[in-house]
Amino acid sequence: MSTMLLARNGRTAVSLTGLGLRGTDSLSGVHPVARRSIIDMSYSAHFMDFKGSSIPSSMKKLVVNKLNHNFREAVSTQTVAIPTPGDAELLVRNRYAGVNASDINYSAGRYDPSVKPPFDAGFEGIGEVVGLGLSASSSYTVGDTVAYFGSGAFAEYTVVPAKESVPVPAVKPEFLTLLVSGATAYIALKRLGDLTKGETVLVTAAAGGTGQFAVQFAKQAGCHVIGTCSSNEKAGFLKSIGCDRPINYTQEDLAKTLRKEYPQGVDVVYESVGGSVLELAVNSLATKGRLIVIGFISGYQTASGIPHFRGGTLPVKLLQKSASIRGFFLPHFLSDYKEALGSMMQMFAKGKLVCEVDCGDMSEEGRFAGLESVFRAVDYMYAGKNLGKVVVEVVPPPVSNSKL
């Protein structure tokens, strides 16, 4: 095996010539004579594209320092060293990070009580590979664009297991919407909805991150879709993606409207609000109706995290209608994840799926740009101002190019 030693800042590095990894242009995309991708020996067997990526020495990330349902009190911004990818890992420079209602549940420690602070925040990101381990190089190379669903996405750089990364054709925030919001709707309706053509489906918070997908997948199944929302702008958006009956509950009484227009009830409810809305959904079920609970955002900002629900007569109501309530938590359905993501990406590529993104351009302080804007984005979402998936544009600090 031929090698070529290079000196950089007093340290020894070795070129990739002769390593036989996907050809001589395995990492850079060009012949090493034109551009020399290197292995920096201080990182052992980790490929780091210093010249092409200008990897800085430090980065910012959001860390949960104490468990609290108030995101601003639980989380702080920290400056730390850039992490080093392990043998089967990728170092991703995040361009966009997704904001989810469950970020507050995570910061409050509601998912896994055994996890104690400090721990990293954020569930989903998309960006470019700027470093990778030796084993990971069999599937990825520096410059690849990937998305991922995992902890630590609220950071300028994140180390991600290669097997958990999803190759994407471009760093577009629309792909980010599919990882959690899209996958939740796709798998929940497929596995728990038992949709049949001609049935009636009610989607609450229909113009939100996951609601928009539930509307579209229910329409694709041949169903009549009702969608609740809080503004005429959102109602117009829902019509544009196929919703048959948008209901702006700030102008129409939701309970009266459902009783009047759907006296036989609704066959399936995709519910994410909780509390009084969940009670209404139960009362609106048709015979053999299915109510899918994917969340209860109305209670997340409380100490308990659970909105008040009057369920004393619930067994009777379900029995009288042979109806059911089914809970859905995405991590329990990971065996369905690959197929769901692949199907949704094909639909998006063919123009058959709308992935609405809200980067805060219409908010008072403007676009969600920079890691610090995550706090503002969370507040914006909980105020019900978003139309589509809330996404933050992560902007790493500018760094001058390294000189080899």
Side-chain angles (χ1 to χ4, degrees):
M1 178 185 296
S2 64
T3 60
M4 177 170 58
L5 295 178
L6 303 172
R8 186 178 77 83
N9 297 331
R11 296 184 293 185
T12 302
V14 58
S15 80
L16 296 180
T17 307
L19 291 184
L21 296 175
R22 299 172 70 177
T24 56
D25 60 345
S26 59
L27 295 189
S28 65
V30 296
H31 195 279
V33 171
R35 174 181 168 196
R36 299 173 298 183
S37 300
I38 67 168
I39 303 173
D40 184 279
M41 297 308 286
S42 66
Y43 290 90
S44 184
H46 306 89
F47 303 148
M48 309 292 284
D49 186 14
F50 292 97
K51 183 176 180 180
S53 303
S54 299
I55 302 175
S57 59
S58 63
M59 70 170 193
K60 292 180 180 179
K61 70 175 182 177
L62 299 191
V63 177
V64 178
N65 294 306
K66 64 176 181 179
L67 301 181
N68 197 301
H69 59 274
N70 185 314
F71 191 79
R72 288 182 178 271
E73 292 187 14
V75 179
S76 66
T77 305
Q78 295 186 6
T79 300
V80 299
I82 297 289
T84 303
D87 177 62
E89 295 177 327
L90 309 175
L91 177 64
V92 178
R93 178 169 54 194
N94 292 316
R95 291 299 187 186
Y96 297 96
V99 175
N100 295 281
S102 49
D103 286 323
I104 283 183
N105 288 333
Y106 195 56
S107 70
R110 293 169 180 154
Y111 288 145
D112 187 353
S114 67
V115 178
K116 305 299 181 183
F119 53 85
D120 296 340
F123 290 133
E124 52 192 351
I126 185 171
E128 305 98 355
V129 175
V130 295
L132 64 162
L134 186 59
S135 295
S137 69
S138 64
S139 301
Y140 293 94
T141 186
V142 167
D144 284 351
T145 53
V146 297
Y148 61 90
F149 165 39
S151 61
F154 290 157
E156 292 173 338
Y157 293 80
T158 304
V159 167
V160 184
K163 65 179 181 179
E164 297 177 12
S165 302
V166 180
V168 291
V171 183
K172 292 183 177 181
E174 286 81 5
F175 289 116
L176 199 58
T177 68
L178 304 177
L179 300 181
V180 175
S181 300
T184 295
Y186 185 98
I187 300 171
L189 289 176
K190 182 177 181 179
R191 290 288 301 272
L192 306 181
D194 298 330
L195 300 182
T196 300
K197 184 176 180 180
E199 288 189 316
T200 299
V201 177
L202 170 64
V203 180
T204 60
T210 188
Q212 63 172 322
F213 293 106
V215 168
Q216 294 178 81
F217 296 145
K219 282 302 296 181
Q220 290 176 10
C223 298
H224 176 92
V225 181
I226 312 160
T228 71
C229 61
S230 60
S231 72
N232 289 333
E233 179 190 10
K234 292 180 180 181
F237 166 71
L238 290 177
K239 286 183 179 179
S240 74
I241 60 173
C243 184
D244 298 287
R245 180 58 166 99
I247 300 177
N248 177 357
Y249 56 78
T250 66
Q251 295 185 356
E252 297 184 75
D253 185 295
L254 180 58
K256 290 182 179 178
T257 300
L258 290 176
R259 283 197 300 268
K260 179 181 178 181
E261 299 183 19
Y262 302 93
Q264 300 302 313
V266 295
D267 300 295
V268 176
V269 182
Y270 185 82
E271 218 291 283
S272 61
V273 179
S276 60
V277 176
L278 178 60
E279 293 175 17
L280 174 59
V282 171
N283 294 335
S284 301
L285 284 173
T287 300
K288 297 183 180 179
R290 290 86 69 196
L291 195 163
I292 306 172
V293 176
I294 62 108
F296 29 89
I297 190 173
S298 62
Y300 291 168
Q301 288 184 302
T302 65
S304 68
I306 304 172
H308 178 67
F309 174 72
R310 294 174 297 182
T313 59
L314 181 62
V316 175
K317 291 178 179 179
L318 296 179
L319 177 64
Q320 289 177 337
K321 296 180 178 180
S322 295
S324 61
I325 297 180
R326 307 175 181 186
F328 179 88
F329 187 45
L330 183 58
H332 294 159
F333 292 83
L334 293 183
S335 59
D336 298 277
Y337 192 76
K338 184 177 180 180
E339 185 273 330
L341 204 56
S343 178
M344 289 187 293
M345 290 183 71
Q346 284 187 1
M347 282 188 273
F348 178 65
K350 295 177 181 178
K352 296 182 178 180
L353 186 65
V354 174
C355 303
E356 188 68 19
V357 172
D358 191 336
C359 289
D361 293 288
M362 302 304 291
S363 65
E364 292 181 3
E365 297 179 52
R367 189 175 180 84
F368 302 134
L371 205 57
E372 292 82 357
S373 69
V374 168
F375 297 97
R376 194 160 54 87
V378 170
D379 292 341
Y380 178 82
M381 177 186 61
Y382 271 92
K385 296 179 180 179
N386 61 298
L387 197 166
K389 173 78 175 183
V390 179
V391 172
V392 171
E393 184 178 16
V394 181
V395 184
V399 180
S400 60
N401 288 335
S402 303
K403 302 297 183 181
L404 292 182

mmCIF file with all atom_site columns, all heavy atoms in Angstrom, residues 346-362:
data_model
loop_
_atom_site.group_PDB
_atom_site.id
_atom_site.type_symbol
_atom_site.label_atom_id
_atom_site.label_alt_id
_atom_site.label_comp_id
_atom_site.label_asym_id
_atom_site.label_entity_id
_atom_site.label_seq_id
_atom_site.pdbx_PDB_ins_code
_atom_site.Cartn_x
_atom_site.Cartn_y
_atom_site.Cartn_z
_atom_site.occupancy
_atom_site.B_iso_or_equiv
_atom_site.pdbx_formal_charge
_atom_site.auth_seq_id
_atom_site.auth_comp_id
_atom_site.auth_asym_id
_atom_site.auth_atom_id
_atom_site.pdbx_PDB_model_num
ATOM 1   N N   . GLN A 1 346 ? -40.199 9.567  -1.835 1.00 0.00 ? 346 GLN A N   1
ATOM 2   C CA  . GLN A 1 346 ? -40.610 9.361  -3.224 1.00 0.00 ? 346 GLN A CA  1
ATOM 3   C C   . GLN A 1 346 ? -41.806 10.243 -3.573 1.00 0.00 ? 346 GLN A C   1
ATOM 4   O O   . GLN A 1 346 ? -41.847 10.855 -4.653 1.00 0.00 ? 346 GLN A O   1
ATOM 5   C CB  . GLN A 1 346 ? -40.957 7.887  -3.453 1.00 0.00 ? 346 GLN A CB  1
ATOM 6   C CG  . GLN A 1 346 ? -39.756 6.971  -3.560 1.00 0.00 ? 346 GLN A CG  1
ATOM 7   C CD  . GLN A 1 346 ? -40.148 5.557  -3.954 1.00 0.00 ? 346 GLN A CD  1
ATOM 8   O OE1 . GLN A 1 346 ? -41.322 5.266  -4.158 1.00 0.00 ? 346 GLN A OE1 1
ATOM 9   N NE2 . GLN A 1 346 ? -39.171 4.683  -4.068 1.00 0.00 ? 346 GLN A NE2 1
ATOM 10  N N   . MET A 1 347 ? -42.756 10.336 -2.664 1.00 0.00 ? 347 MET A N   1
ATOM 11  C CA  . MET A 1 347 ? -43.927 11.184 -2.893 1.00 0.00 ? 347 MET A CA  1
ATOM 12  C C   . MET A 1 347 ? -43.517 12.642 -3.038 1.00 0.00 ? 347 MET A C   1
ATOM 13  O O   . MET A 1 347 ? -44.013 13.360 -3.917 1.00 0.00 ? 347 MET A O   1
ATOM 14  C CB  . MET A 1 347 ? -44.932 11.026 -1.749 1.00 0.00 ? 347 MET A CB  1
ATOM 15  C CG  . MET A 1 347 ? -45.777 9.769  -1.811 1.00 0.00 ? 347 MET A CG  1
ATOM 16  S SD  . MET A 1 347 ? -47.087 9.771  -0.552 1.00 0.00 ? 347 MET A SD  1
ATOM 17  C CE  . MET A 1 347 ? -46.219 9.075  0.831  1.00 0.00 ? 347 MET A CE  1
ATOM 18  N N   . PHE A 1 348 ? -42.607 13.091 -2.174 1.00 0.00 ? 348 PHE A N   1
ATOM 19  C CA  . PHE A 1 348 ? -42.156 14.476 -2.232 1.00 0.00 ? 348 PHE A CA  1
ATOM 20  C C   . PHE A 1 348 ? -41.416 14.755 -3.535 1.00 0.00 ? 348 PHE A C   1
ATOM 21  O O   . PHE A 1 348 ? -41.619 15.789 -4.183 1.00 0.00 ? 348 PHE A O   1
ATOM 22  C CB  . PHE A 1 348 ? -41.253 14.786 -1.031 1.00 0.00 ? 348 PHE A CB  1
ATOM 23  C CG  . PHE A 1 348 ? -40.688 16.181 -1.032 1.00 0.00 ? 348 PHE A CG  1
ATOM 24  C CD1 . PHE A 1 348 ? -41.512 17.288 -0.918 1.00 0.00 ? 348 PHE A CD1 1
ATOM 25  C CD2 . PHE A 1 348 ? -39.318 16.386 -1.165 1.00 0.00 ? 348 PHE A CD2 1
ATOM 26  C CE1 . PHE A 1 348 ? -40.992 18.574 -0.922 1.00 0.00 ? 348 PHE A CE1 1
ATOM 27  C CE2 . PHE A 1 348 ? -38.785 17.666 -1.173 1.00 0.00 ? 348 PHE A CE2 1
ATOM 28  C CZ  . PHE A 1 348 ? -39.628 18.775 -1.053 1.00 0.00 ? 348 PHE A CZ  1
ATOM 29  N N   . ALA A 1 349 ? -40.573 13.811 -3.934 1.00 0.00 ? 349 ALA A N   1
ATOM 30  C CA  . ALA A 1 349 ? -39.812 13.974 -5.177 1.00 0.00 ? 349 ALA A CA  1
ATOM 31  C C   . ALA A 1 349 ? -40.728 14.055 -6.391 1.00 0.00 ? 349 ALA A C   1
ATOM 32  O O   . ALA A 1 349 ? -40.435 14.758 -7.366 1.00 0.00 ? 349 ALA A O   1
ATOM 33  C CB  . ALA A 1 349 ? -38.816 12.816 -5.337 1.00 0.00 ? 349 ALA A CB  1
ATOM 34  N N   . LYS A 1 350 ? -41.862 13.354 -6.351 1.00 0.00 ? 350 LYS A N   1
ATOM 35  C CA  . LYS A 1 350 ? -42.809 13.343 -7.468 1.00 0.00 ? 350 LYS A CA  1
ATOM 36  C C   . LYS A 1 350 ? -43.836 14.475 -7.382 1.00 0.00 ? 350 LYS A C   1
ATOM 37  O O   . LYS A 1 350 ? -44.734 14.570 -8.218 1.00 0.00 ? 350 LYS A O   1
ATOM 38  C CB  . LYS A 1 350 ? -43.539 12.001 -7.510 1.00 0.00 ? 350 LYS A CB  1
ATOM 39  C CG  . LYS A 1 350 ? -42.626 10.813 -7.811 1.00 0.00 ? 350 LYS A CG  1
ATOM 40  C CD  . LYS A 1 350 ? -43.407 9.507  -7.768 1.00 0.00 ? 350 LYS A CD  1
ATOM 41  C CE  . LYS A 1 350 ? -42.508 8.313  -8.051 1.00 0.00 ? 350 LYS A CE  1
ATOM 42  N NZ  . LYS A 1 350 ? -43.254 7.023  -7.962 1.00 0.00 ? 350 LYS A NZ  1
ATOM 43  N N   . GLY A 1 351 ? -43.703 15.325 -6.359 1.00 0.00 ? 351 GLY A N   1
ATOM 44  C CA  . GLY A 1 351 ? -44.645 16.428 -6.207 1.00 0.00 ? 351 GLY A CA  1
ATOM 45  C C   . GLY A 1 351 ? -45.990 16.015 -5.659 1.00 0.00 ? 351 GLY A C   1
ATOM 46  O O   . GLY A 1 351 ? -46.979 16.745 -5.804 1.00 0.00 ? 351 GLY A O   1
ATOM 47  N N   . LYS A 1 352 ? -46.062 14.849 -5.019 1.00 0.00 ? 352 LYS A N   1
ATOM 48  C CA  . LYS A 1 352 ? -47.326 14.344 -4.511 1.00 0.00 ? 352 LYS A CA  1
ATOM 49  C C   . LYS A 1 352 ? -47.484 14.534 -3.008 1.00 0.00 ? 352 LYS A C   1
ATOM 50  O O   . LYS A 1 352 ? -48.445 14.037 -2.412 1.00 0.00 ? 352 LYS A O   1
ATOM 51  C CB  . LYS A 1 352 ? -47.453 12.849 -4.853 1.00 0.00 ? 352 LYS A CB  1
ATOM 52  C CG  . LYS A 1 352 ? -47.515 12.566 -6.349 1.00 0.00 ? 352 LYS A CG  1
ATOM 53  C CD  . LYS A 1 352 ? -47.682 11.083 -6.621 1.00 0.00 ? 352 LYS A CD  1
ATOM 54  C CE  . LYS A 1 352 ? -47.789 10.816 -8.121 1.00 0.00 ? 352 LYS A CE  1
ATOM 55  N NZ  . LYS A 1 352 ? -47.947 9.362  -8.404 1.00 0.00 ? 352 LYS A NZ  1
ATOM 56  N N   . LEU A 1 353 ? -46.548 15.247 -2.393 1.00 0.00 ? 353 LEU A N   1
ATOM 57  C CA  . LEU A 1 353 ? -46.616 15.479 -0.950 1.00 0.00 ? 353 LEU A CA  1
ATOM 58  C C   . LEU A 1 353 ? -46.114 16.884 -0.656 1.00 0.00 ? 353 LEU A C   1
ATOM 59  O O   . LEU A 1 353 ? -45.008 17.259 -1.041 1.00 0.00 ? 353 LEU A O   1
ATOM 60  C CB  . LEU A 1 353 ? -45.764 14.447 -0.196 1.00 0.00 ? 353 LEU A CB  1
ATOM 61  C CG  . LEU A 1 353 ? -45.838 14.476 1.330  1.00 0.00 ? 353 LEU A CG  1
ATOM 62  C CD1 . LEU A 1 353 ? -47.250 14.094 1.799  1.00 0.00 ? 353 LEU A CD1 1
ATOM 63  C CD2 . LEU A 1 353 ? -44.811 13.524 1.949  1.00 0.00 ? 353 LEU A CD2 1
ATOM 64  N N   . VAL A 1 354 ? -46.942 17.669 0.023  1.00 0.00 ? 354 VAL A N   1
ATOM 65  C CA  . VAL A 1 354 ? -46.561 19.019 0.433  1.00 0.00 ? 354 VAL A CA  1
ATOM 66  C C   . VAL A 1 354 ? -45.900 18.944 1.801  1.00 0.00 ? 354 VAL A C   1
ATOM 67  O O   . VAL A 1 354 ? -46.456 18.338 2.730  1.00 0.00 ? 354 VAL A O   1
ATOM 68  C CB  . VAL A 1 354 ? -47.789 19.952 0.492  1.00 0.00 ? 354 VAL A CB  1
ATOM 69  C CG1 . VAL A 1 354 ? -47.396 21.315 1.066  1.00 0.00 ? 354 VAL A CG1 1
ATOM 70  C CG2 . VAL A 1 354 ? -48.401 20.100 -0.883 1.00 0.00 ? 354 VAL A CG2 1
ATOM 71  N N   . CYS A 1 355 ? -44.731 19.533 1.930  1.00 0.00 ? 355 CYS A N   1
ATOM 72  C CA  . CYS A 1 355 ? -44.008 19.580 3.199  1.00 0.00 ? 355 CYS A CA  1
ATOM 73  C C   . CYS A 1 355 ? -43.844 21.046 3.588  1.00 0.00 ? 355 CYS A C   1
ATOM 74  O O   . CYS A 1 355 ? -42.824 21.679 3.263  1.00 0.00 ? 355 CYS A O   1
ATOM 75  C CB  . CYS A 1 355 ? -42.650 18.905 3.079  1.00 0.00 ? 355 CYS A CB  1
ATOM 76  S SG  . CYS A 1 355 ? -42.688 17.185 2.517  1.00 0.00 ? 355 CYS A SG  1
ATOM 77  N N   . GLU A 1 356 ? -44.834 21.588 4.253  1.00 0.00 ? 356 GLU A N   1
ATOM 78  C CA  . GLU A 1 356 ? -44.821 23.021 4.590  1.00 0.00 ? 356 GLU A CA  1
ATOM 79  C C   . GLU A 1 356 ? -43.870 23.285 5.758  1.00 0.00 ? 356 GLU A C   1
ATOM 80  O O   . GLU A 1 356 ? -43.936 22.626 6.798  1.00 0.00 ? 356 GLU A O   1
ATOM 81  C CB  . GLU A 1 356 ? -46.225 23.495 4.939  1.00 0.00 ? 356 GLU A CB  1
ATOM 82  C CG  . GLU A 1 356 ? -46.363 24.985 5.114  1.00 0.00 ? 356 GLU A CG  1
ATOM 83  C CD  . GLU A 1 356 ? -46.184 25.754 3.805  1.00 0.00 ? 356 GLU A CD  1
ATOM 84  O OE1 . GLU A 1 356 ? -46.318 25.140 2.720  1.00 0.00 ? 356 GLU A OE1 1
ATOM 85  O OE2 . GLU A 1 356 ? -45.933 26.971 3.875  1.00 0.00 ? 356 GLU A OE2 1
ATOM 86  N N   . VAL A 1 357 ? -42.995 24.267 5.562  1.00 0.00 ? 357 VAL A N   1
ATOM 87  C CA  . VAL A 1 357 ? -41.990 24.619 6.565  1.00 0.00 ? 357 VAL A CA  1
ATOM 88  C C   . VAL A 1 357 ? -42.224 26.046 7.035  1.00 0.00 ? 357 VAL A C   1
ATOM 89  O O   . VAL A 1 357 ? -42.504 26.941 6.235  1.00 0.00 ? 357 VAL A O   1
ATOM 90  C CB  . VAL A 1 357 ? -40.563 24.492 5.976  1.00 0.00 ? 357 VAL A CB  1
ATOM 91  C CG1 . VAL A 1 357 ? -39.529 25.036 6.943  1.00 0.00 ? 357 VAL A CG1 1
ATOM 92  C CG2 . VAL A 1 357 ? -40.254 23.039 5.645  1.00 0.00 ? 357 VAL A CG2 1
ATOM 93  N N   . ASP A 1 358 ? -42.107 26.263 8.342  1.00 0.00 ? 358 ASP A N   1
ATOM 94  C CA  . ASP A 1 358 ? -42.232 27.602 8.914  1.00 0.00 ? 358 ASP A CA  1
ATOM 95  C C   . ASP A 1 358 ? -40.921 27.946 9.623  1.00 0.00 ? 358 ASP A C   1
ATOM 96  O O   . ASP A 1 358 ? -40.642 27.432 10.709 1.00 0.00 ? 358 ASP A O   1
ATOM 97  C CB  . ASP A 1 358 ? -43.407 27.661 9.895  1.00 0.00 ? 358 ASP A CB  1
ATOM 98  C CG  . ASP A 1 358 ? -43.754 29.085 10.310 1.00 0.00 ? 358 ASP A CG  1
ATOM 99  O OD1 . ASP A 1 358 ? -42.879 29.957 10.226 1.00 0.00 ? 358 ASP A OD1 1
ATOM 100 O OD2 . ASP A 1 358 ? -44.908 29.327 10.733 1.00 0.00 ? 358 ASP A OD2 1
ATOM 101 N N   . CYS A 1 359 ? -40.134 28.800 8.993  1.00 0.00 ? 359 CYS A N   1
ATOM 102 C CA  . CYS A 1 359 ? -38.856 29.222 9.562  1.00 0.00 ? 359 CYS A CA  1
ATOM 103 C C   . CYS A 1 359 ? -38.966 30.561 10.293 1.00 0.00 ? 359 CYS A C   1
ATOM 104 O O   . CYS A 1 359 ? -37.951 31.215 10.566 1.00 0.00 ? 359 CYS A O   1
ATOM 105 C CB  . CYS A 1 359 ? -37.788 29.314 8.473  1.00 0.00 ? 359 CYS A CB  1
ATOM 106 S SG  . CYS A 1 359 ? -37.243 27.730 7.808  1.00 0.00 ? 359 CYS A SG  1
ATOM 107 N N   . GLY A 1 360 ? -40.194 30.973 10.590 1.00 0.00 ? 360 GLY A N   1
ATOM 108 C CA  . GLY A 1 360 ? -40.390 32.178 11.363 1.00 0.00 ? 360 GLY A CA  1
ATOM 109 C C   . GLY A 1 360 ? -40.251 33.476 10.598 1.00 0.00 ? 360 GLY A C   1
ATOM 110 O O   . GLY A 1 360 ? -40.129 34.543 11.206 1.00 0.00 ? 360 GLY A O   1
ATOM 111 N N   . ASP A 1 361 ? -40.278 33.407 9.280  1.00 0.00 ? 361 ASP A N   1
ATOM 112 C CA  . ASP A 1 361 ? -40.085 34.619 8.482  1.00 0.00 ? 361 ASP A CA  1
ATOM 113 C C   . ASP A 1 361 ? -41.145 35.682 8.775  1.00 0.00 ? 361 ASP A C   1
ATOM 114 O O   . ASP A 1 361 ? -40.890 36.879 8.624  1.00 0.00 ? 361 ASP A O   1
ATOM 115 C CB  . ASP A 1 361 ? -40.098 34.275 6.987  1.00 0.00 ? 361 ASP A CB  1
ATOM 116 C CG  . ASP A 1 361 ? -38.902 33.423 6.594  1.00 0.00 ? 361 ASP A CG  1
ATOM 117 O OD1 . ASP A 1 361 ? -37.787 33.957 6.558  1.00 0.00 ? 361 ASP A OD1 1
ATOM 118 O OD2 . ASP A 1 361 ? -39.090 32.218 6.357  1.00 0.00 ? 361 ASP A OD2 1
ATOM 119 N N   . MET A 1 362 ? -42.342 35.251 9.191  1.00 0.00 ? 362 MET A N   1
ATOM 120 C CA  . MET A 1 362 ? -43.421 36.192 9.457  1.00 0.00 ? 362 MET A CA  1
ATOM 121 C C   . MET A 1 362 ? -43.531 36.540 10.942 1.00 0.00 ? 362 MET A C   1
ATOM 122 O O   . MET A 1 362 ? -44.424 37.287 11.339 1.00 0.00 ? 362 MET A O   1
ATOM 123 C CB  . MET A 1 362 ? -44.753 35.610 8.965  1.00 0.00 ? 362 MET A CB  1
ATOM 124 C CG  . MET A 1 362 ? -44.774 35.251 7.482  1.00 0.00 ? 362 MET A CG  1
ATOM 125 S SD  . MET A 1 362 ? -44.336 36.645 6.428  1.00 0.00 ? 362 MET A SD  1
ATOM 126 C CE  . MET A 1 362 ? -45.778 37.681 6.694  1.00 0.00 ? 362 MET A CE  1
#
